[in-house]
Amino acid sequence: MNETIKIDSRGDFGLWAIEAAKQIVGEQGFELAKAARDGSEEELRSAGNALGQAITNVLLELYDGLLDGAPEA
């Protein structure tokens, strides 16, 4: 998610979260499903880890954005 957006309300955050989830599932969910169907245990583990890392990355990106917009004391 490289696009900068402004979150002013809970609704804005909800929309961002939906779009982030759609992107993650589109990119990583297929690989996880494919590994579960056809892959080895290692491929399944790797795909699951990639999905978890994608979720972590987007949450850290959001957190960093919140810090950038926080007023300084």
Side-chain angles (χ1 to χ4, degrees), residues 23-45:
Q23 183 177 349
I24 291 169
V25 169
E27 293 173 1
Q28 302 298 325
F30 174 75
E31 293 300 322
L32 181 60
K34 188 171 86 172
R37 185 188 67 196
D38 300 328
S40 66
E41 186 71 28
E42 180 58 33
E43 291 169 322
L44 181 58
R45 186 178 299 112

Side-chain angles (χ1 to χ4, degrees), residues 1-2 5 10 12 14 24 32 35-36 47-48 51 53-54 56 59-60 62 66-68 73:
M1 306 234 11
N2 296 330
I5 61 169
R10 186 179 182 136
D12 290 345
I24 291 169
L32 181 60
L51 176 60
Q53 188 61 56
T56 299
L59 291 173
L60 288 173
L62 174 64
L66 292 172
L67 288 181
D68 289 343

Side-chain angles (χ1 to χ4, degrees), residues 9-27:
S9 68
R10 186 179 182 136
D12 290 345
F13 179 77
L15 291 174
W16 172 85
I18 289 168
E19 290 304 313
K22 282 175 29 181
Q23 183 177 349
I24 291 169
V25 169
E27 293 173 1

